Amino acid sequence: MSSTEVLDLLSTREIEVLGHLAEGHTYSSIARRMHLSPHTVDTYLRRIRGKAGVSNRAHLMILALQVTRRDEPWPKGT
């Protein structure tokens, strides 16, 4: 499934969670940023895995990076 097809399946909140995950935030950090419980973040990520057919956290991170990839260059100094 392509990133575009996955995006079509996801809600705005699910895409927001994926964006935070792609930035390297932990479940707890994502929860604090979005004013949610860590359990809710886990639920979002389980739903995303189900919709996208992703079987584990490593594949979820790859998906997050693909879906949120931007054509912007890396910031200087990184």
Side-chain angles (χ1 to χ4, degrees), residues 25-45:
H25 296 285
T26 64
Y27 286 26
S28 295
S29 174
I30 294 168
R32 282 192 304 275
R33 289 171 169 274
M34 295 180 69
H35 306 287
L36 302 169
S37 76
H39 177 74
T40 302
V41 171
D42 182 61
T43 299
Y44 276 126
L45 292 169

Side-chain angles (χ1 to χ4, degrees), residues 6-56:
V6 170
L7 280 174
D8 290 342
L9 297 174
L10 302 179
S11 71
T12 303
R13 282 299 253 190
E14 290 167 339
I15 294 168
E16 185 178 354
V17 169
L18 269 185
H20 290 301
L21 187 66
E23 291 172 357
H25 296 285
T26 64
Y27 286 26
S28 295
S29 174
I30 294 168
R32 282 192 304 275
R33 289 171 169 274
M34 295 180 69
H35 306 287
L36 302 169
S37 76
H39 177 74
T40 302
V41 171
D42 182 61
T43 299
Y44 276 126
L45 292 169
R46 278 188 283 116
R47 287 182 187 163
I48 293 166
R49 284 196 308 265
K51 289 179 180 182
V54 173
S55 60
N56 59 51

